Amino acid sequence: GAGVSQTPSNKVTEKGKYVELRCDPISGHTALYWYRQSLGQGPEFLIYFQGTGAADDSGLPNDRFFAVRPEGSVSTLKIQRTERGDSAVYLCASSVTGTGHYNEQFFGPGTRLTVL
Amino acid sequence: AQKITQTQPGMFVQEKEAVTLDCTYDTSDQSYGLFWYKQPSSGEMIFLIYQGSYDEQNATEGRYSLNFQKARKSANLVISASQLGDSAMYFCAMREVNTGGFKTIFGAGTRLFVKA
């Protein structure tokens, strides 16, 4: 079956602009995660969705970052007034469920965001 | 304090030999899961192996095994019979069930180079 897909694969924008990054999880996966990976670092947790609701958004760095998952499948990460420090690869992952200590997360290829 | 520490920024191994990638973790939660992911140059994160905090036996998946030493809080990844295709970044990660919300915390990674 199809894996996690993310669009666009690359996004170049100017400082101060608004961007949207899309994630299409594996069909049937109720849990969806967003991570940010800066160069030379491991992924950093941003937000977790169980179904349509954001069950844990403690990783969002500030109120310029927002994510939605209105129908419990596709999710959009929205960044307002982008800053150069937002440049990173944004990874999306999904899993069958988000509860418990075991949850194999399937990652998408990421969106590389560059803020000029 | 770092939750996940990977002290080897880079490692070299000869093809067909075994290699150990180190990972130590810090948690006060009694219930947690430990994961290893591989990230090739293509950027996609690939799940390799999982170890639960209550599992008494070390996890194994093909050529991958996890050397779990709970008292030392270490979860080293052992790759046997290294192949050229094993050259990649490797990330250790942890999910705390009771205290960590729904986030998975990743280490900074170890870059493995397999020599022919």
Side-chain angles (χ1 to χ4, degrees):
Chain A
V4 178
S5 61
Q6 293 186 245
T7 54
S9 54
N10 279 285
K11 176 70 177 179
V12 180
T13 190
E14 293 180 344
K15 181 174 176 296
K17 299 288 189 183
Y18 167 84
V19 296
E20 289 189 352
L21 312 179
R22 176 189 167 109
C23 172
D24 207 331
I26 293 172
S27 178
H29 282 192
T30 61
L32 185 145
Y33 305 78
W34 283 100
Y35 295 88
R36 178 169 68 176
Q37 187 175 22
S38 300
L39 193 63
Q41 301 293 320
E44 173 193 6
F45 169 82
L46 295 178
I47 187 170
Y48 157 72
F49 286 91
Q50 180 60 42
T52 60
D56 186 346
D57 63 357
S58 61
L60 294 177
N62 51 59
D63 61 6
R64 296 187 298 105
F65 288 75
F66 188 71
V68 296
R69 195 186 184 197
E71 297 178 357
S73 55
V74 171
S75 176
T76 305
L77 178 66
K78 309 180 180 192
I79 310 174
Q80 298 178 322
R81 303 183 304 280
T82 51
E83 299 177 357
R84 294 194 179 88
D86 299 335
S87 296
V89 175
Y90 289 81
L91 296 168
C92 176
S94 71
S95 63
V96 173
T97 177
T99 57
H101 53 81
Y102 176 73
N103 74 325
E104 180 181 345
Q105 295 179 36
F106 295 83
F107 282 79
T111 293
R112 181 175 299 277
L113 175 66
T114 303
V115 182
L116 301 177
Chain B
Q2 293 282 342
K3 288 275 190 178
I4 297 286
T5 302
Q6 294 182 254
T7 57
Q8 306 153 315
M11 287 281 287
F12 286 87
V13 65
Q14 195 67 39
E15 191 180 12
K16 299 181 184 176
E17 293 186 351
V19 63
T20 298
L21 306 184
D22 295 341
C23 172
T24 57
Y25 59 92
D26 182 26
T27 182
S28 57
D29 201 328
Q30 296 302 307
S31 182
Y32 53 90
L34 297 158
F35 304 80
W36 277 91
Y37 284 85
K38 172 184 179 182
Q39 188 175 44
S41 55
S42 60
E44 197 152 343
M45 298 283 285
I46 302 167
F47 168 78
L48 295 178
I49 196 166
Y50 160 82
Q51 179 86 41
S53 58
Y54 294 115
D55 295 339
E56 294 186 352
Q57 294 199 343
N58 288 341
T60 60
E61 289 286 349
R63 294 186 300 110
Y64 304 108
S65 60
L66 199 152
N67 185 357
F68 181 46
Q69 298 187 41
K70 192 170 182 177
R72 294 186 177 185
K73 294 188 176 176
S74 97
N76 298 340
L77 176 71
V78 181
I79 305 174
S80 63
S82 297
Q83 302 172 355
L84 294 178
D86 294 334
S87 293
M89 282 290 290
Y90 288 81
F91 293 98
C92 179
M94 175 175 67
R95 179 183 173 89
E96 298 163 295
V97 176
N98 298 315
T99 61
F102 294 94
K103 61 175 65 73
T104 301
I105 307 295
F106 286 80
T110 295
R111 182 169 294 281
L112 179 65
F113 300 91
V114 180
K115 301 182 290 184

